[in-house]
Amino acid sequence: MDSTKKYLDKISKALEKNLDERESLIKNTRQIITLCSESIIDCHKNDTKAAAKKILQAKRLLEQYRKNIDKALYKYLIPSEQEFVEASSFLALIQGKEIPSPESLKVKDESYVLGLLDCIGEMRRDVYDKIRVGKSEDARKMFEKMDELYLMLYPFAYFDKIVKEARRKLDVARILVEETRIAITEEIRRAELIKSMKK
């Protein structure tokens, strides 16, 4: 039994270390999530310069954690990677650029898919912001991208057991797309009515 105790003590110390690293990682990655959230707010304010700066800070922090992380703990990095994908993709869309690839962002496939699903919500908000200030054509263009992105992501419902929350996020995204479609249709009709009245 002495040898068994020795093995268990060794396992206990390893698990203790693992637990400490997990708690430290969760605590420290909150800063990444905060930076990405602030970046999205900057995008909605059309301050893309400030948004890009915060995304760069988040990227550097993510790279730092990736270097020192144990593979078993990587799953705790997924939420911050997800936020990073969402913020980076939304900034690119606001700037009229292509959504960055998972390779360029250096994120896991799961983080990429979930981050893009969350980005649909920000695209919807941008459409409504544009409608409010009378930019109907810009709103329509953003909606088209939003709809296209949803359709590209829809098949990932099949991988719900691997990509956690994919199906739930897709269900939310479907509702957002349909609600936005109604809003954009009403806005186009309103704009056409005003145009014909002016004539």
Side-chain angles (χ1 to χ4, degrees):
M1 294 298 280
D2 287 346
S3 57
T4 304
K5 189 179 184 309
K6 192 194 296 181
Y7 301 143
L8 289 172
D9 285 346
K10 188 179 177 182
I11 292 167
S12 179
K13 283 176 185 175
L15 290 173
E16 187 82 36
K17 187 188 172 198
N18 203 281
L19 188 63
D20 289 343
E21 286 175 355
R22 174 189 171 275
E23 286 173 1
S24 174
L25 186 64
I26 290 168
K27 183 183 175 183
N28 291 326
T29 53
R30 284 192 196 122
Q31 189 181 353
I32 297 168
I33 292 168
T34 300
L35 282 165
C36 293
S37 297
E38 288 174 355
S39 171
I40 288 169
I41 291 166
D42 289 335
C43 283
H44 284 297
K45 291 178 180 175
N46 290 316
D47 191 351
T48 54
K49 192 175 178 181
K53 189 178 176 183
K54 282 164 187 164
I55 286 170
L56 185 60
Q57 286 177 269
K59 185 180 182 179
R60 284 173 182 159
L61 285 170
L62 268 171
E63 285 171 354
Q64 180 188 321
Y65 293 131
R66 279 195 205 102
K67 282 178 187 174
N68 306 315
I69 198 171
D70 186 291
K71 283 184 180 178
L73 294 173
Y74 202 99
K75 62 183 175 182
Y76 298 109
L77 204 57
I78 297 288
S80 51
E81 278 194 348
Q82 188 179 319
E83 291 284 336
F84 177 63
V85 170
E86 181 185 1
S88 301
S89 301
F90 187 54
L91 175 61
L93 288 161
I94 289 291
Q95 293 176 323
K97 297 177 182 176
E98 285 289 320
I99 290 172
S101 67
E103 290 79 18
S104 67
L105 297 176
K106 297 177 182 174
V107 296
K108 294 282 186 187
D109 293 345
E110 181 183 350
S111 307
Y112 192 70
V113 171
L114 294 174
L116 288 182
L117 280 165
D118 286 340
C119 189
I120 287 172
E122 298 307 328
M123 293 169 81
R124 176 195 189 237
R125 183 177 162 189
D126 184 67
V127 168
Y128 278 87
D129 286 345
K130 283 177 167 62
I131 288 172
R132 261 196 302 272
V133 294
K135 294 183 177 179
S136 302
E137 186 57 24
D138 289 342
R140 185 187 61 78
K141 285 176 183 175
M142 181 58 84
F143 172 71
E144 283 174 0
K145 289 176 185 175
M146 178 187 176
D147 192 30
E148 187 181 358
L149 181 59
Y150 169 72
L151 290 172
M152 285 191 283
L153 289 165
Y154 182 75
F156 285 89
Y158 177 76
F159 304 106
D160 189 55
K161 301 292 182 206
I162 303 167
V163 182
K164 297 272 167 87
E165 290 194 56
R167 188 178 291 276
R168 183 188 66 79
K169 285 180 181 288
L170 276 163
D171 287 343
V172 171
R174 178 179 53 80
I175 293 164
L176 295 180
V177 168
E178 289 312 312
E179 284 178 350
T180 312
R181 191 189 308 280
I182 292 165
I184 208 85
T185 303
E186 286 175 354
E187 177 58 23
I188 289 167
R189 284 175 181 165
R190 190 187 69 84
E192 284 173 355
L193 180 63
I194 291 168
K195 193 177 175 181
S196 63
M197 284 171 74
K198 281 180 180 178
K199 282 182 181 179

